[in-house]
Amino acid sequence: MNGTIDGFSYGLVTPVAAYVMACVGSALGLRCVVRTVHHEPGWRLGWLALGASALGCGIWTMHFIAMTGFSVAETPITYDIPLTVLSLAVAIVVVSAGVFIVGHRGATRTALTVGGAITGLGVATMHYLGMFAMRLNGDLGYNAFTVTLSVIIALVAATAALWAAVSVQGFVRTLGASLVMGLAVTGMHYTGMAAVSVHLHNSIETAPTVSGQEGSSLLLPMLLGPIIFLILATAVVMFDPVLILGDSGRDKPVDGGSKVVARGNAMPVRVSGIQDSPAPGTPVVHNVPQADHWPAAAPQRSADEHAQYGETNAGAPYGTGYEGR
């Protein structure tokens, strides 16, 4: 006898809350990777670890918030605590591997393929390990086609998220990528849940004892830790000055030269052959004649004068030898 499955026992509350947590974890993970790739590295290892942990916690929290809305009418559901905790560890460790690969190698085809495969398989493993942690008066069955589809969704979502982490810049674009990532991860979860069927045991007396803690009494306290971590990670990311400033640092000169800025008749440039010793951080500024103040070009020299004085810069007025960089 098959059990009556309901994946939305609390209506839209659990899927919406699960989607929000998936988006939060995705946004934090993407912003932390952006912090290491597009800005001054700082503590690179720490930012990658923070991003991977936030992404893993967000996905795990999404999964078990959604699972609080899963019920079987004919039997109570409990959860094995060690397996539930193990699913959280798998989510963080495997997602970390993918994030570190792309964070260090960049958006190369090999890095995205390997990192996306590891992360996607890790997300799928976390999901089905969490399902395996369920204890009920029956046996779980899975539709092979739907399971395969859920794994493909996980692989595509993970690869797209890692590509966005190293390619998408700016807060708005990162936010959009996290919304898409959250939708993909949540979609993968509910696709996997659609593959589940429950075959009930014939009688309570002949069925094995259902051990473990009841879903709400176990999951809600366990969700508290990851949620607090995500709140703290959000505070760290929001108040990081480099991420707050965003792309404004791109205006800084890369080669150490002074930036050319028009200021009346003076432009900060470097002049070949002149060695100045300004104070540290002070650009070398020289008054360069503007176009309306340049003297008229000297007349061309005759062939004899060229022979006498040479060809290089013959007849060039003073001031035209300036070289700006």
Side-chain angles (χ1 to χ4, degrees), residues 23 26-32 34 38 164-165 167-181:
C23 291
S26 300
L28 290 174
L30 295 182
R31 291 300 286 170
C32 288
V34 167
H38 297 297
S167 302
V168 175
Q169 303 179 36
F171 176 77
V172 176
R173 293 183 179 180
T174 303
L175 179 61
S178 66
L179 294 177
V180 175
M181 174 63 179

Side-chain angles (χ1 to χ4, degrees), residues 95-254:
V95 169
S96 298
V99 169
F100 272 78
I101 289 173
V102 176
H104 282 282
R105 296 295 182 180
T108 63
R109 181 176 300 179
T110 302
L112 287 175
T113 302
V114 176
I118 292 175
T119 304
L121 292 176
V123 172
T125 301
M126 179 276 301
H127 171 83
Y128 289 105
L129 186 59
M131 296 294 296
F132 185 69
M134 288 196 307
R135 298 289 182 266
L136 45 78
N137 183 30
D139 298 320
L140 296 179
Y142 295 93
N143 180 275
F145 174 79
T146 311
V147 169
T148 303
L149 181 60
S150 69
V151 174
I152 292 175
I153 294 175
L155 292 172
V156 174
T159 304
L162 294 177
W163 172 85
V166 295
S167 302
V168 175
Q169 303 179 36
F171 176 77
V172 176
R173 293 183 179 180
T174 303
L175 179 61
S178 66
L179 294 177
V180 175
M181 174 63 179
L183 182 62
V185 172
T186 308
M188 174 266 164
H189 170 83
Y190 283 102
T191 301
M193 295 306 299
V196 176
S197 61
V198 177
H199 181 72
L200 298 174
H201 295 135
N202 294 328
S203 64
I204 301 295
E205 291 77 11
T206 60
T209 303
V210 177
S211 60
Q213 285 191 312
E214 191 176 351
S216 59
S217 63
L218 170 66
L219 296 182
L220 292 180
M222 288 192 65
L223 289 171
L224 187 60
I227 290 175
I228 292 176
F229 171 79
L230 290 174
I231 294 174
L232 295 177
T234 302
V236 172
V237 172
M238 288 182 61
F239 292 103
D240 178 65
V242 176
L243 289 176
I244 291 175
L245 293 175
D247 298 332
S248 61
R250 292 184 176 187
D251 296 333
K252 297 179 182 179
V254 178

Side-chain angles (χ1 to χ4, degrees), residues 51-121:
S53 300
L55 185 57
C57 284
I59 295 173
W60 185 88
T61 304
M62 174 278 304
H63 170 82
F64 280 101
I65 286 179
M67 288 306 298
T68 58
F70 179 82
S71 64
V72 180
E74 294 82 3
T75 177
I77 298 176
T78 62
Y79 288 86
D80 181 84
I81 295 179
L83 287 178
T84 304
V85 175
L86 179 61
S87 67
L88 173 60
V90 168
I92 294 176
V93 171
V94 180
V95 169
S96 298
V99 169
F100 272 78
I101 289 173
V102 176
H104 282 282
R105 296 295 182 180
T108 63
R109 181 176 300 179
T110 302
L112 287 175
T113 302
V114 176
I118 292 175
T119 304
L121 292 176

Side-chain angles (χ1 to χ4, degrees), residues 288-299 315-322:
V288 179
Q290 300 299 302
D292 55 342
H293 298 292
W294 288 350
Y318 289 104
T320 59
Y322 287 104

Side-chain angles (χ1 to χ4, degrees), residues 300-312 314-315:
Q300 296 295 326
R301 295 177 180 270
S302 64
D304 294 336
E305 290 174 327
H306 278 297
Q308 180 179 356
Y309 296 105
E311 294 289 339
T312 305

